[in-house]
Amino acid sequence: MMNSFELVALRVAVIFFAITNVAVSLSTPDRRSFLGIGAATTSAALGITQPAYADEEIKVDAFNGLIFNYRGNKFNGLDASDLDEPSVSFIDFGERLRKGQVAFVKFYAPDGDKAYVTFKTEEGKTVPPIRIGEGFPIEQHDGYSSPAFVVRALQNFDVPYEFVVPGLEKYKNM
């Protein structure tokens, strides 16, 4: 198997040959010159392609996947060791969201970095809210992490949510 430098060199050589052949053929157009153009183009298109292989296995998550194609991000969301209350991982939250088991999500201001989810039971009842923990995207004003991605997912699945200011919850709907 060729290394990447050899593949690039071979591609450049074949493309150069194809361009040279086209230039010569256009100056003296006949049936053979058009066959030469076709052969050079076909060899350039088919003869050089190689399958791409990843050198290492990359774990795809919310921060290096298809969200705006940002890859190589070292930040992996909220760390469970920073929490002092029961929580559910962001991965588990996402799986249950896809299954339709999320009833409601409450985000706490100012950025929504603290969020509690209320799950539905199989009987259709709800259970007390629990914090979304490990892996939850906390706001990075100069980065790519934001609870806005979670809000967008909730909108896509038609799940109700709200943002509240701590301490002012009790004054709602007076």
Side-chain angles (χ1 to χ4, degrees), residues 29-112:
D30 61 357
R31 195 179 309 175
R32 286 186 181 174
S33 64
F34 286 113
L35 289 175
I37 292 171
T41 304
T42 303
S43 66
L46 299 176
I48 299 186
T49 59
Q50 295 285 330
Y53 297 103
D55 292 338
E56 62 184 63
E57 184 69 25
I58 297 174
K59 179 184 170 215
V60 178
D61 58 27
F63 301 104
N64 70 356
L66 295 178
I67 299 176
F68 299 116
N69 278 333
Y70 292 124
R71 293 201 170 104
N73 192 347
K74 301 297 182 207
F75 180 72
N76 289 320
L78 187 63
D79 188 7
S81 64
D82 295 337
L83 301 176
D84 58 354
E85 59 188 322
S87 66
V88 61
S89 75
F90 184 60
I91 299 293
D92 187 39
F93 164 76
E95 289 170 359
R96 294 177 78 173
L97 179 64
R98 278 187 231 108
K99 292 178 185 175
Q101 298 175 348
V102 175
F104 183 76
V105 178
K106 184 184 290 188
F107 297 92
Y108 282 88
D111 294 323

